[in-house]
Amino acid sequence: MEYTGINYTDLEVSILSMGTATIGVDNTEQQARDLLDCYLEQGGNFIDTARVYSNWVPGEKNRSERIIGDWMQDRKNREELVLATKGAHPRHSSKREPRMSYEEVAEDLDGSLKSLQTDHIDLYYLHRDDPDTPVSEIIEMLEDFAAQGKIRYYACSNWTTERIRAAQKYAKKNGYHGFVANQMLWNIGIYNMGELDDETLVKYDQEMHQLHRETGLAAVPYTSQAQGFFTKMKSDKEEDQKKVKNSIYNTEKNRQLFNKLEKIAEKHQMNITEIVLSYLLSQDINVIPIIGCRNKQQLEESMAGIGKILPFEVMNELEEFVGSGIEHI
Ligand SMILES: NC(=O)c1ccc[n+]([C@@H]2O[C@H](COP(=O)([O-])OP(=O)(O)OC[C@H]3O[C@@H](n4cnc5c(N)ncnc54)[C@H](OP(=O)(O)O)[C@@H]3O)[C@@H](O)[C@H]2O)c1
């Protein structure tokens, strides 16, 4: 496993972060712990969770954070990890109802510290934005949490480029660094995917790429493997083919892209999973993809062999094909 710094911080993270949205939901608690152990054994150290993870299913709330908290206590490994969590998620009843007041975010953060059984979060994300709250209030709130020692660094998720620029401008003017990372929906299939049913998610685009290039802000893409769409295209298992058929990534253009990826994979002696992740890791900016997995086999496959960088000619061929508007020189 290779490691990288997150610009403007002293955080050193593995180049793949482990997503934990579905731990203890899509699998049992024991399987979730096995996955966390496996991730560490493969050299991973960057765990991504959120206050709301598991809250869309009945039963115990905040399950992901609680499982990670118990696991870290048992393994006594908190200091080995770079722990990222998120607060300020809108109410589940209506994603249009933001929760960005100081009290609401402070409640989330205190809840996260308690569930994770730690006294600080290394990287604290705002899970969504509330465009009606001035960036000045938001940055001052995060600075206050940092001053209290509850968070080390802060970041945003699902913010538009325009709002990130405004927040960074305010931070700079007031002598703060501001956001050190940006978490968004990004994988090679997004440019030609079907319609998202959650309009509060923000996709990567050319304008955002420009922001990352100019500022060195770290990009931490989620759904980095397009939910396994391209890998499953190759599978002859009935279950996988069913998932491919129903996938939001299942468009004519993405099926053509799969054929292209297969050719590139063969030429560069890589598998499809590697190519999908290498596309992100070969960008000319600081990128740390978050991978999801349902079982150990998937996790091991996603972590194996990662590190090959695609030549910029191949990157440009892919960018042109998907129509991202991004050019590598
Ligand atoms: N900030 C946000 O708003 C936000 C939103 C979404 C996610 N996230 C974060 O990002 C993490 C990852 O998101 P994600 O789960 O959408 O990422 P992903 O890696 O694109 O998708 C994970 C899914 O891909 C399939 N998969 C993974 N490895 C595979 C392999 N080797 N072969 C075949 N299929 C494979 C599995 O699907 P099957 O289970 O169908 O086999 C797995 O559940 C989340 O856990 C969370 O931490 C953040």
Side-chain angles (χ1 to χ4, degrees):
M1 176 56 63
E2 290 179 28
Y3 299 86
T4 181
I6 293 183
N7 290 339
Y8 312 109
T9 74
D10 60 1
L11 303 175
E12 278 287 314
V13 296
S14 49
I15 57 172
L16 293 179
S17 170
M18 178 172 166
T20 61
T22 57
I23 62 166
V25 173
D26 279 3
N27 44 30
T28 65
E29 183 159 348
Q30 187 53 53
Q31 285 165 337
R33 280 169 167 256
D34 291 346
L35 284 177
L36 289 162
D37 282 337
C38 175
Y39 174 69
L40 247 68
E41 279 157 21
Q42 306 281 322
N45 73 344
F46 188 21
I47 293 188
D48 185 84
T49 182
R51 188 65 190 140
V52 295
Y53 286 169
S54 90
N55 291 1
W56 52 89
V57 291
E60 180 194 4
K61 297 287 171 214
N62 321 114
R63 211 175 296 168
S64 170
E65 287 190 334
R66 200 269 304 152
I67 290 175
I68 294 166
D70 285 350
W71 170 78
M72 289 190 303
Q73 274 297 313
D74 288 351
R75 296 282 182 268
K76 310 231 173 316
N77 61 10
R78 170 68 186 94
E79 294 313 311
E80 291 167 40
L81 302 169
V82 175
L83 194 55
T85 193
K86 315 179 196 81
H89 194 284
R91 275 171 226 301
H92 270 284
S93 49
S94 158
K95 290 220 169 71
R96 293 207 153 276
E97 221 180 296
R99 288 176 54 262
M100 192 60 88
S101 70
Y102 186 98
E103 292 69 28
E104 285 165 322
V105 188
E107 185 190 1
D108 282 355
L109 174 56
D110 288 340
S112 292
L113 292 170
K114 197 167 172 211
S115 297
L116 290 162
Q117 303 173 53
T118 183
D119 62 359
H120 70 280
I121 305 299
D122 298 305
L123 185 59
Y124 193 67
Y125 289 96
L126 297 171
H127 213 151
R128 297 286 193 277
D129 186 15
D130 170 18
D132 292 334
T133 304
V135 288
S136 53
E137 263 178 48
I138 296 176
I139 294 292
E140 291 297 345
M141 168 182 74
L142 293 165
E143 281 295 327
D144 188 52
F145 296 153
Q148 291 176 49
K150 292 181 178 178
I151 63 176
R152 295 206 55 217
Y153 300 101
Y154 56 86
C156 58
S157 180
N158 298 303
W159 276 49
T160 62
T161 304
E162 192 188 352
R163 283 278 289 179
I164 299 173
R165 283 195 190 275
Q168 299 298 70
K169 190 172 166 193
Y170 174 84
K172 198 170 171 196
K173 202 169 137 206
N174 289 277
Y176 310 135
H177 183 73
F179 297 135
V180 298
N182 174 27
Q183 188 175 135
M184 78 305 286
L185 174 60
W186 188 16
N187 63 61
I188 196 167
I190 58 161
Y191 299 101
N192 300 288
M193 71 191 291
E195 196 120 325
L196 285 165
D197 59 6
D198 179 351
E199 59 195 33
T200 64
L201 300 180
V202 174
K203 281 199 247 178
Y204 198 75
D205 62 13
Q206 194 181 3
E207 195 194 349
M208 196 173 269
H209 192 75
Q210 194 52 35
L211 165 79
H212 283 272
R213 256 187 193 154
E214 277 169 26
T215 62
L217 181 68
V220 186
Y222 63 78
T223 311
S224 60
Q225 303 180 101
Q227 293 163 344
F229 171 75
F230 296 103
T231 303
K232 288 180 201 296
M233 282 279 286
K234 240 183 128 64
S235 163
D236 48 20
K237 283 193 203 145
E238 202 179 313
E239 178 202 3
D240 287 342
Q241 282 312 314
K242 211 166 153 190
K243 284 182 179 167
V244 164
K245 192 167 164 239
N246 296 326
S247 171
I248 194 167
Y249 294 95
N250 187 17
T251 59
E252 177 60 28
K253 187 82 179 174
N254 274 339
R255 288 194 297 274
Q256 289 168 9
L257 174 61
F258 166 75
N259 294 331
K260 200 171 211 20
L261 295 177
E262 270 219 306
K263 286 192 189 117
I264 296 171
E266 200 183 328
K267 184 165 174 207
H268 293 270
Q269 297 189 320
M270 294 161 91
N271 62 40
I272 294 285
T273 308
E274 266 181 282
I275 292 275
V276 167
L277 289 171
S278 290
Y279 165 74
L280 296 174
L281 291 164
S282 305
Q283 298 286 334
D284 52 5
I285 58 167
N286 195 196
V287 183
I288 305 125
I290 311 175
I291 51 168
C293 57
R294 191 167 29 93
N295 56 44
K296 234 171 131 173
Q297 192 197 337
Q298 289 180 346
L299 181 62
E300 281 171 348
E301 186 181 327
S302 299
M303 293 184 84
I306 284 304
K308 267 195 202 168
I309 296 300
L310 294 170
F312 76 89
E313 297 85 358
V314 175
M315 289 296 287
N316 280 334
E317 188 187 332
L318 286 172
E319 304 288 13
E320 202 181 322
F321 187 83
V322 298
S324 68
I326 295 169
E327 200 184 335
H328 301 270
I329 38 172

